[in-house]
Amino acid sequence: MLFSGLKWWTSRSLWIHRLHYGINGGGKARYSSCSPKVCIVGGGPAGFYTAQHLIKARPDVAVDVYERLPVPFGLVRFGVAPDHPEVKNVINTFTQTARHERCSFYGNVNVGKDVSVEELREAYHAVVLSYGAEGNRRMGVPGEDLSGVYSAKDFVGWYNGLPSCRELGPDLSCETAVILGQGNVALDVARVLLSPIDFLKKTDITQPALEALEASRVRRVLIVGRRGPTQIAGTIKEIREMVNLPNTRPDMLAADFEGVKESLQDLPRPRKRLTELMLKAALETPGEKEQERREKATKVWGLRFYRSPVEILADPERSGRTAGIRLAVNKLEGSGEGARAVLTGEVEDVTCGLVISSIGYKSLPIDASVPFDSRRAIVPNHMGRIQEAPGLYCSGWLKTGPTGVIATTLNNSFDTARSVMEDMESGTLNTTGVKLGSQSINALLENRGVKPVTFSEWEKIDSEEVRRGEAIGKPREKLLTVEEMLQVAGK
Ligand code: FAD
């Protein structure tokens, strides 16, 4: 009697609690129907940092993160190089945020397709777009579509297990690869192409990529930039990694470094140290030990400066295949960061079977109702507030363009979260009306046959990947298709 009375009381209070707070599909309290509800589009660093700041700063805000893929973390999973596991530690912070009782994650929801931004704006008090920069800048030169030419975005996606790049199957049967662009992504690609397989085997690089790299015949990688050594976009950590990469030696052109030594004194300290490192690799006679190391090396990497792509050259014997690249030789006008590359009229051809263009990512519009600046490839905004669209915000690479590291994304996402809160506090953002949040969006998605993946379901995928990795001595072996991810998530 006492037991059944207790049961009645418990289920009644549970019912009252659910009525007031609601319980969403993920088993979390949906929070009071009158609490401000914020929706975030994109489960990468920008999405999670924006959510983190909102949740921390206000005790009443509830945040739902919608992510296109069944798995979270954006470029931390699909961009950051497999041999940089320390960078991926930010995932622990994102996981804490996702597990917070006022945060819910819905993966496998493609905003703009499965649900519109308008529908999200109806359901939430504020919508923050943080869907990154998934497009690719094209070189705009003849031959760009020949086989053997890839964007760094696809190449990186391939070795990191991005489902849409699974079929890339890059042809690594040539000796020389040319990478266009000298940023950190270009250096990541060069390192992956030249790293000893035993190094990569211990990372979370995908097994098919590992096998392809094991069979690769690429021995020489040239990393080409439009401007000079003192304008290089890569940072010292990545250049140092190249300098120290086992079984490789640097191969630079002394002419590229003419006058560079003399300009060192005018450089800001970080750039000065980076330039000194390159000068050392390019011009200095190495000590005995380094000399010995270089002599034994079977692979070569080189930075090439003052060069821009003019045309990808087709192989006359193998139709549709790349046989080389024509580069224009540039000179600089002006100096320092603002120096401009101008053509000299001279060109040179480099024989190569693989060309990887690493000249930048770009954001794409996902919904016609959202203002988009096609020239700058960002959503026009002021401190994250999207112009002419009250209640709509943006953060991360969509807000700033695809530059900067995760720490930069953290700062700009916190700024956007601050704008949202300021607007809530000033009343510019009306949070008095009741909004149904995920309750109404989940109903829409169900009608459309979309099955969102909750964070605890992602954790099942995570466990499976770690289990598969452990079996072969890797930190994880990523699932490579959306279908398999959904199956493991129990969808
Ligand atoms: P993203 O990380 O791209 O996240 C956007 C998310 O939105 C993705 O999960 C995507 O699937 C999702 N999305 C896209 N469209 C939709 C849609 N329609 N609906 C729902 N969701 C959608 N920084 C470092 O500090 N260290 C590094 O070593 C480093 N390495 C990098 C390597 C590469 C190859 C690249 C490209 C970048 C690297 N960065 C690194 C930079 C870092 O990854 C970015 O600063 C950061 O990921 C930007 O975060 P974001 O959330 O704006 O974009």
Side-chain angles (χ1 to χ4, degrees), residues 41-47 66-69 71-76 78-81 84 87 109-112 130-134 156 159-160 185 188 237-238 361 366 395-398 403-407 409:
V41 178
Y66 291 89
E67 161 61 46
R68 185 170 54 85
L69 289 165
V71 295
F73 313 137
L75 285 169
V76 176
F78 294 117
V80 171
H84 285 171
V87 176
V109 180
N110 191 347
V111 173
S130 311
Y131 63 81
E134 301 214 309
V156 168
Y159 66 61
N160 275 331
V185 176
D188 283 353
K237 175 184 174 231
E238 279 71 15
Y361 288 53
I366 57 162
S395 65
W397 275 12
L398 178 67
T403 57
V405 288
I406 295 169
T409 300

Side-chain angles (χ1 to χ4, degrees), residues 6-23:
L6 189 67
K7 207 165 123 191
W8 175 85
W9 187 86
T10 316
S11 61
R12 183 174 172 273
S13 58
L14 191 69
W15 181 81
I16 292 171
H17 177 88
R18 283 193 175 184
L19 192 70
H20 188 64
Y21 290 103
I23 299 287

